[in-house]
Coordinates of all heavy atoms in Angstrom, one line a residue:
Chain A
T53 N 18.0 49.9 74.7 CA 17.4 50.7 73.5 C 16.0 50.7 73.4 O 15.3 51.1 74.4 CB 18.2 50.3 72.2 OG1 17.9 49.0 71.9 CG2 19.7 50.4 72.4
K54 N 15.4 50.3 72.3 CA 14.0 50.4 72.1 C 13.4 49.0 71.7 O 14.0 48.3 70.8 CB 13.7 51.4 71.0 CG 12.3 51.5 70.7 CD 12.1 52.6 69.6 CE 10.6 52.6 69.1 NZ 10.4 53.6 68.0
V55 N 12.3 48.6 72.2 CA 11.6 47.5 71.8 C 10.2 47.9 71.5 O 9.6 48.7 72.2 CB 11.6 46.4 72.9 CG1 10.9 45.2 72.5 CG2 13.0 46.0 73.3
T56 N 9.7 47.4 70.4 CA 8.3 47.7 70.0 C 7.6 46.4 69.7 O 8.1 45.6 69.0 CB 8.3 48.7 68.8 OG1 8.9 49.9 69.2 CG2 6.9 49.0 68.4
N57 N 6.3 46.3 70.2 CA 5.4 45.2 69.7 C 4.1 45.9 69.3 O 3.9 47.0 69.2 CB 5.3 44.1 70.8 CG 4.7 44.6 72.0 OD1 4.0 45.6 72.1 ND2 5.0 43.9 73.1
E58 N 3.1 44.9 69.1 CA 1.8 45.5 68.5 C 1.0 46.4 69.5 O 0.1 47.0 69.2 CB 1.0 44.3 68.2 CG 0.6 43.3 69.3 CD 1.6 42.3 69.5 OE1 2.7 42.4 69.0 OE2 1.3 41.4 70.3
V59 N 1.4 46.3 70.8 CA 0.6 47.1 71.8 C 1.4 48.2 72.5 O 0.8 49.2 73.0 CB 0.1 46.2 72.9 CG1 -0.9 45.2 72.3 CG2 1.2 45.5 73.7
A60 N 2.7 48.2 72.5 CA 3.5 49.2 73.2 C 4.9 49.3 72.7 O 5.4 48.4 72.0 CB 3.5 48.9 74.7
S61 N 5.5 50.3 73.2 CA 7.0 50.5 72.9 C 7.7 50.6 74.3 O 7.0 51.2 75.3 CB 7.4 51.7 72.1 OG 6.8 51.5 70.8
L62 N 8.9 50.2 74.4 CA 9.7 50.3 75.6 C 11.0 51.0 75.3 O 11.7 50.5 74.4 CB 9.9 48.9 76.2 CG 10.8 48.9 77.5 CD1 10.1 49.7 78.6 CD2 10.9 47.4 77.9
F63 N 11.3 52.1 76.0 CA 12.5 52.9 75.6 C 13.4 52.7 76.9 O 13.0 53.0 78.0 CB 12.2 54.4 75.5 CG 11.3 54.6 74.3 CD1 9.9 54.7 74.4 CD2 11.8 54.7 73.0 CE1 9.1 54.8 73.2 CE2 11.0 55.0 71.9 CZ 9.7 55.0 72.0
I64 N 14.7 52.4 76.6 CA 15.6 52.1 77.7 C 16.8 52.9 77.4 O 17.5 52.7 76.4 CB 15.9 50.7 77.9 CG1 14.7 49.9 78.1 CG2 16.9 50.4 79.1 CD1 14.8 48.3 78.0
P65 N 17.2 53.9 78.2 CA 18.5 54.6 77.9 C 19.7 53.8 78.1 O 19.6 52.7 78.7 CB 18.4 55.8 78.9 CG 17.6 55.3 80.0 CD 16.5 54.3 79.4
A66 N 20.8 54.5 77.7 CA 22.1 53.6 77.7 C 22.5 53.2 79.1 O 23.0 52.1 79.3 CB 23.2 54.5 77.1
D67 N 22.2 54.1 80.1 CA 22.6 53.6 81.5 C 21.6 52.6 82.1 O 21.9 52.1 83.2 CB 22.7 54.9 82.4 CG 21.5 55.6 82.6 OD1 20.4 55.2 82.2 OD2 21.5 56.7 83.3
R68 N 20.5 52.4 81.5 CA 19.5 51.4 82.0 C 18.9 51.7 83.3 O 18.3 50.8 84.0 CB 20.0 50.0 81.8 CG 20.6 49.6 80.5 CD 20.7 48.2 80.1 NE 21.1 47.3 81.3 CZ 20.3 46.3 81.8 NH1 19.1 46.0 81.1 NH2 20.7 45.6 82.7
K69 N 19.1 52.9 83.9 CA 18.6 53.2 85.2 C 17.2 53.6 85.2 O 16.6 53.9 86.3 CB 19.5 54.2 85.9 CG 20.9 53.8 86.2 CD 21.7 54.8 86.9 CE 23.2 54.4 87.2 NZ 23.3 53.1 87.9
S70 N 16.5 53.6 84.1 CA 15.2 54.0 84.0 C 14.6 53.3 82.7 O 15.4 52.9 81.9 CB 14.9 55.4 84.0 OG 15.4 56.0 82.8
S71 N 13.4 53.3 82.5 CA 12.7 52.8 81.3 C 11.3 53.5 81.2 O 10.7 53.9 82.1 CB 12.6 51.3 81.3 OG 11.8 50.8 82.4
T72 N 10.9 53.6 80.0 CA 9.6 54.3 79.7 C 8.7 53.4 78.9 O 9.1 53.0 77.7 CB 9.8 55.6 79.0 OG1 10.6 56.5 79.8 CG2 8.5 56.3 78.7
L73 N 7.6 53.1 79.4 CA 6.5 52.3 78.6 C 5.7 53.4 77.8 O 5.1 54.3 78.4 CB 5.7 51.5 79.6 CG 4.5 50.9 78.9 CD1 4.9 49.7 78.1 CD2 3.5 50.3 80.0
S74 N 5.6 53.2 76.6 CA 4.8 54.1 75.7 C 3.6 53.3 75.1 O 3.8 52.3 74.5 CB 5.6 54.7 74.6 OG 4.9 55.6 73.9
L75 N 2.4 53.9 75.5 CA 1.2 53.3 75.0 C 0.6 54.3 73.9 O 0.2 55.4 74.3 CB 0.1 53.0 76.1 CG 0.6 52.2 77.2 CD1 -0.4 52.3 78.4 CD2 0.9 50.8 76.7
P76 N 0.5 53.9 72.6 CA 0.1 54.9 71.6 C -1.5 54.9 71.5 O -2.1 53.9 71.7 CB 0.6 54.3 70.3 CG 0.7 52.8 70.6 CD 1.0 52.7 72.1
R77 N -2.1 56.1 71.5 CA -3.5 56.2 71.2 C -4.3 55.4 72.1 O -5.0 54.4 71.8 CB -3.8 55.9 69.8 CG -3.1 56.8 68.8 CD -3.5 56.5 67.4 NE -3.1 55.1 67.0 CZ -1.8 54.8 66.7 NH1 -0.8 55.7 66.7 NH2 -1.5 53.5 66.4
V78 N -4.3 55.7 73.4 CA -5.0 54.8 74.5 C -6.5 54.9 74.3 O -7.0 55.9 73.7 CB -4.6 55.2 75.9 CG1 -3.1 54.9 76.2 CG2 -4.8 56.7 76.2
S79 N -7.1 53.9 74.7 CA -8.5 53.8 74.8 C -9.0 53.6 76.2 O -8.2 53.4 77.1 CB -9.0 52.7 73.8 OG -8.6 51.5 74.3
L80 N -10.4 53.7 76.4 CA -10.9 53.4 77.8 C -10.5 52.1 78.3 O -10.3 51.9 79.5 CB -12.3 53.6 77.7 CG -13.0 54.9 77.3 CD1 -14.5 54.9 77.3 CD2 -12.5 56.0 78.2
S81 N -10.3 51.1 77.4 CA -10.0 49.8 77.9 C -8.5 49.7 78.3 O -8.1 48.6 78.9 CB -10.3 48.8 76.8 OG -9.4 49.0 75.7
D82 N -7.8 50.7 78.2 CA -6.3 50.6 78.7 C -6.3 51.1 80.1 O -5.2 51.1 80.8 CB -5.5 51.6 77.8 CG -5.3 51.0 76.5 OD1 -5.1 49.8 76.3 OD2 -5.4 51.8 75.4
T83 N -7.5 51.5 80.7 CA -7.5 51.8 82.1 C -7.1 50.6 82.9 O -7.8 49.6 82.9 CB -8.9 52.3 82.5 OG1 -9.1 53.6 81.9 CG2 -9.0 52.5 84.0
A84 N -6.0 50.6 83.7 CA -5.5 49.5 84.4 C -4.3 49.9 85.3 O -3.9 51.1 85.3 CB -5.1 48.4 83.4
V85 N -3.8 49.0 86.0 CA -2.6 49.2 86.7 C -1.4 48.6 85.9 O -1.5 47.5 85.4 CB -2.6 48.5 88.1 CG1 -1.3 48.8 88.9 CG2 -3.7 49.0 88.9
Y86 N -0.3 49.4 85.8 CA 0.9 49.0 85.0 C 2.0 48.8 86.0 O 2.4 49.7 86.8 CB 1.2 50.0 83.9 CG 0.1 50.0 82.9 CD1 -1.1 50.7 83.1 CD2 0.2 49.3 81.7 CE1 -2.1 50.7 82.2 CE2 -0.8 49.3 80.7 CZ -1.9 50.0 81.0 OH -2.9 50.0 80.1
Y87 N 2.7 47.6 85.9 CA 3.8 47.3 86.7 C 5.1 47.2 85.9 O 5.1 46.5 84.9 CB 3.6 45.9 87.5 CG 2.5 46.0 88.5 CD1 1.2 45.4 88.0 CD2 2.6 46.4 89.7 CE1 0.2 45.4 89.0 CE2 1.6 46.4 90.6 CZ 0.3 45.9 90.2 OH -0.7 45.8 91.2
C88 N 6.2 47.8 86.5 CA 7.5 47.6 85.9 C 8.2 46.7 86.8 O 8.2 46.8 88.0 CB 8.1 49.0 85.9 SG 9.9 49.0 85.8
L89 N 8.9 45.7 86.2 CA 9.6 44.7 86.9 C 11.1 44.6 86.4 O 11.3 44.7 85.2 CB 9.1 43.3 86.9 CG 8.0 42.9 87.9 CD1 6.7 43.6 87.6 CD2 7.8 41.4 87.9
V90 N 12.0 44.5 87.3 CA 13.4 44.3 86.9 C 13.9 43.1 87.5 O 13.8 42.9 88.7 CB 14.3 45.5 87.3 CG1 15.7 45.3 87.0 CG2 13.8 46.7 86.6
G91 N 14.4 42.1 86.7 CA 15.0 40.9 87.4 C 15.8 40.1 86.4 O 15.9 40.4 85.2
D92 N 16.5 39.3 87.0 CA 17.5 38.4 86.3 C 16.7 37.2 85.6 O 16.3 36.4 86.2 CB 18.5 37.8 87.3 CG 19.5 36.9 86.6 OD1 19.4 36.7 85.4 OD2 20.4 36.3 87.3
G93 N 16.6 37.4 84.3 CA 15.8 36.3 83.7 C 16.8 35.2 83.2 O 16.3 34.2 82.6
N94 N 18.0 35.3 83.6 CA 18.9 34.2 83.2 C 18.8 32.9 83.9 O 19.0 31.8 83.4 CB 20.3 34.7 83.3 CG 21.4 33.9 82.7 OD1 21.2 33.3 81.6 ND2 22.5 33.6 83.4
T95 N 18.3 33.0 85.2 CA 18.2 31.8 85.9 C 16.8 31.8 86.6 O 16.5 32.6 87.5 CB 19.3 31.7 87.1 OG1 19.2 32.9 87.9 CG2 20.6 31.5 86.5
N96 N 16.0 30.9 86.1 CA 14.7 30.7 86.8 C 13.8 31.9 87.0 O 13.8 32.5 88.0 CB 14.9 30.1 88.1 CG 15.8 28.8 88.1 OD1 15.6 28.0 87.1 ND2 16.8 28.7 88.9
A97 N 13.2 32.3 85.9 CA 12.4 33.5 85.9 C 11.2 33.3 86.9 O 10.8 32.2 87.2 CB 11.8 33.6 84.5
G98 N 10.8 34.5 87.4 CA 9.5 34.4 88.3 C 9.7 34.9 89.7 O 8.7 35.2 90.3
K99 N 10.9 35.1 90.2 CA 11.0 35.6 91.5 C 10.9 37.2 91.4 O 11.9 37.9 91.8 CB 12.3 35.3 92.1 CG 12.5 33.7 92.1 CD 13.8 33.3 92.6 CE 14.3 32.0 92.0 NZ 15.7 31.7 92.4
S100 N 9.8 37.6 91.0 CA 9.7 39.0 90.8 C 9.2 39.8 91.9 O 8.5 39.4 92.8 CB 8.6 39.2 89.6 OG 9.0 38.5 88.5
T101 N 9.8 41.0 92.0 CA 9.4 42.1 92.9 C 8.5 43.1 92.3 O 9.1 43.9 91.4 CB 10.6 42.7 93.6 OG1 11.4 41.7 94.2 CG2 10.1 43.7 94.6
F102 N 7.2 43.0 92.5 CA 6.2 44.0 92.0 C 6.2 45.1 93.0 O 6.1 44.9 94.2 CB 4.9 43.3 91.9 CG 4.7 42.4 90.7 CD1 5.1 41.2 90.8 CD2 4.0 42.9 89.6 CE1 4.9 40.3 89.7 CE2 3.8 42.0 88.5 CZ 4.3 40.7 88.6
G103 N 6.2 46.4 92.4 CA 5.9 47.5 93.3 C 4.4 47.6 93.4 O 3.7 46.7 93.2
D104 N 4.0 48.9 93.7 CA 2.5 49.1 93.8 C 2.0 49.5 92.4 O 0.7 49.7 92.2 CB 2.2 50.1 94.8 CG 2.4 49.6 96.2 OD1 2.3 48.4 96.4 OD2 2.6 50.4 97.1
G105 N 2.9 49.7 91.4 CA 2.4 49.9 90.0 C 1.9 51.4 89.8 O 1.8 52.1 90.8
T106 N 1.5 51.7 88.5 CA 1.0 52.9 88.2 C -0.5 52.7 87.7 O -0.7 52.0 86.8 CB 1.7 53.6 87.0 OG1 3.1 53.8 87.5 CG2 1.1 54.9 86.6
T107 N -1.4 53.4 88.4 CA -2.8 53.2 88.0 C -3.0 54.3 86.9 O -3.0 55.5 87.1 CB -3.7 53.5 89.1 OG1 -3.5 52.5 90.1 CG2 -5.2 53.4 88.7
L108 N -3.3 53.8 85.7 CA -3.6 54.6 84.6 C -5.1 54.7 84.4 O -5.8 53.7 84.3 CB -3.0 54.1 83.2 CG -3.4 54.8 82.0 CD1 -2.9 56.3 81.9 CD2 -2.9 54.1 80.8
T109 N -5.7 56.0 84.3 CA -7.0 56.2 84.1 C -7.2 56.9 82.8 O -6.7 58.1 82.7 CB -7.8 57.0 85.2 OG1 -7.5 56.3 86.5 CG2 -9.3 57.1 84.9
V110 N -7.9 56.3 81.8 CA -8.2 56.9 80.6 C -9.6 57.4 80.5 O -10.6 56.7 80.8 CB -7.9 55.9 79.4 CG1 -8.2 56.6 78.1 CG2 -6.6 55.3 79.4
K111 N -9.7 58.7 80.2 CA -11.0 59.4 80.3 C -11.5 59.6 78.8 O -10.7 59.8 77.9 CB -10.9 60.7 81.0 CG -10.4 60.6 82.4 CD -10.2 61.9 83.1 CE -9.7 61.8 84.5 NZ -9.4 63.1 85.1
P112 N -12.8 59.7 78.7 CA -13.4 59.9 77.3 C -13.2 61.3 76.9 O -13.0 62.2 77.7 CB -14.9 59.6 77.4 CG -15.2 59.6 78.9 CD -13.9 59.4 79.6

Side-chain angles (χ1 to χ4, degrees):
Chain A
T53 63
K54 177 183 174 183
V55 179
T56 297
N57 62 21
E58 62 276 9
V59 298
S61 294
L62 179 59
F63 298 92
I64 305 168
D67 66 6
R68 305 201 324 123
K69 293 185 184 300
S70 67
S71 59
T72 299
L73 173 72
S74 181
L75 304 172
R77 297 179 299 282
V78 294
S79 64
L80 297 177
S81 63
D82 292 317
T83 294
V85 179
Y86 292 82
Y87 294 98
C88 159
L89 271 74
V90 173
D92 177 4
N94 190 40
T95 54
N96 307 314
K99 303 176 207 176
S100 302
T101 300
F102 285 78
D104 289 336
T106 297
T107 299
L108 172 65
T109 303
V110 180
K111 303 175 183 178

